[in-house]
Amino acid sequence: MKKLIWGGIYLVMMTPVYAQRIEQIRASASGDTILISYDLVGGAPNQAYKIRASCWDGIGKTELKSIQGLTVVKPGRDHQLKWRVLDDMEVGLVGDSITFTLAASEYTPPIGGWNDKTLTPEDQKAFLIMDLTSQINAYLNEVYNTAKIFRGYSDGAFTGQSALRNLDEQRKLLNAAYNTLLKNRRTFELTIQRLWRDEAKTAVAETFFTTFLDKMHREHILPLNDDVLPKMYDYNTFGNKYYRNKQLLKKIQTRAQVLTDPLLAHEIETARKDAWNLYSVSLKQ
């Protein structure tokens, strides 16, 4: 039978790394779990650091592997780790003087860091939320930039080649952001299912993607690819055919109203809010 015997004193060692350092380490026991709290100070505010922890019980050194909580953090106060002692030590901790050592090293998240099995589930969740945040915002920003281009055009601007070039370049940026999100959609959904193991959260994510990716893109963006730009190209190509150009311009302006309608701006902000609720509320609960 595994037994856990706690000593009366915990000695804590702090390991400084370059400009950042670990301070104010506190350890307390609850059942077979030790809660370790610490401050990571110094270093660049946006730099991520990987925290490693070990324990010396007077007999030998044990690397803390069975950890819950974030092990990839940015400088801040009151970071916490939970160590399930009996998962790493067969007989538990024995002695009156236990020493914990924490070390921090700079960490650059790999692409798809939420699949890094060396990280804790909490770390993987944080990286997934970060990637979702980044890709969703990138797409919404390009939708906004596209609408902004149309709002800045007068009727006559559609006759110029510069308008066509500018819009075509913006269309490429928009479609690239969309394709990135679309390519990762199923992976995101499956990863949410794996990490959270919660059907309700998986359903929320699937509903968001269906509404966000499918509805907004179909209603506002596909007409730009399939209708507005081809008509703008025709308008600039058949410069001597006044009647044809007049009809084309009317169609362009009608379609452009979709992108300049305040409703689109409202839908963009609604999508941002829904996205925030997805990865900052639903998935963090």
Side-chain angles (χ1 to χ4, degrees), residues 239-256:
N240 295 323
K241 298 181 179 179
Y242 175 78
Y243 177 77
R244 176 180 173 81
N245 270 8
K246 186 176 180 179
Q247 295 300 313
L248 282 172
L249 182 58
K250 184 176 180 180
K251 292 180 181 179
I252 292 170
Q253 291 168 341
T254 300
R255 275 306 202 179

Side-chain angles (χ1 to χ4, degrees), residues 28-61:
S28 60
S30 176
D32 62 354
T33 299
I34 293 181
L35 175 64
I36 303 172
S37 302
Y38 64 94
D39 299 340
L40 178 62
V41 299
N46 293 321
Q47 174 64 51
Y49 296 91
K50 184 75 167 68
I51 305 299
R52 300 184 310 279
S54 61
C55 172
W56 175 263
D57 62 0
I59 299 175
K61 178 181 177 181

Side-chain angles (χ1 to χ4, degrees), residues 1-121:
M1 178 184 294
K2 294 183 178 180
K3 294 183 179 180
L4 192 63
I5 303 176
W6 302 111
I9 301 175
Y10 292 99
L11 300 179
V12 183
M13 298 181 64
M14 299 171 287
T15 305
V17 181
Y18 304 109
Q20 75 276 4
R21 60 192 184 278
I22 296 174
E23 296 181 348
Q24 299 296 322
I25 303 179
R26 293 85 70 193
S28 60
S30 176
D32 62 354
T33 299
I34 293 181
L35 175 64
I36 303 172
S37 302
Y38 64 94
D39 299 340
L40 178 62
V41 299
N46 293 321
Q47 174 64 51
Y49 296 91
K50 184 75 167 68
I51 305 299
R52 300 184 310 279
S54 61
C55 172
W56 175 263
D57 62 0
I59 299 175
K61 178 181 177 181
T62 300
E63 296 291 336
L64 277 56
K65 298 179 180 179
S66 301
I67 290 177
Q68 295 175 321
L70 295 174
T71 62
V72 177
V73 298
K74 293 181 180 179
R77 304 284 180 181
D78 295 321
H79 293 299
Q80 292 186 341
L81 296 172
K82 289 182 179 180
W83 179 36
R84 301 187 302 275
V85 181
L86 295 180
D87 289 348
D88 289 340
M89 304 181 70
E90 182 69 23
V91 297
L93 287 172
V94 179
D96 295 326
S97 181
I98 307 298
T99 301
F100 290 99
T101 300
L102 270 64
S105 57
E106 291 187 359
Y107 182 83
T108 301
I111 296 175
W114 26 271
N115 277 324
D116 186 349
K117 300 301 189 296
T118 66
L119 299 178
T120 66

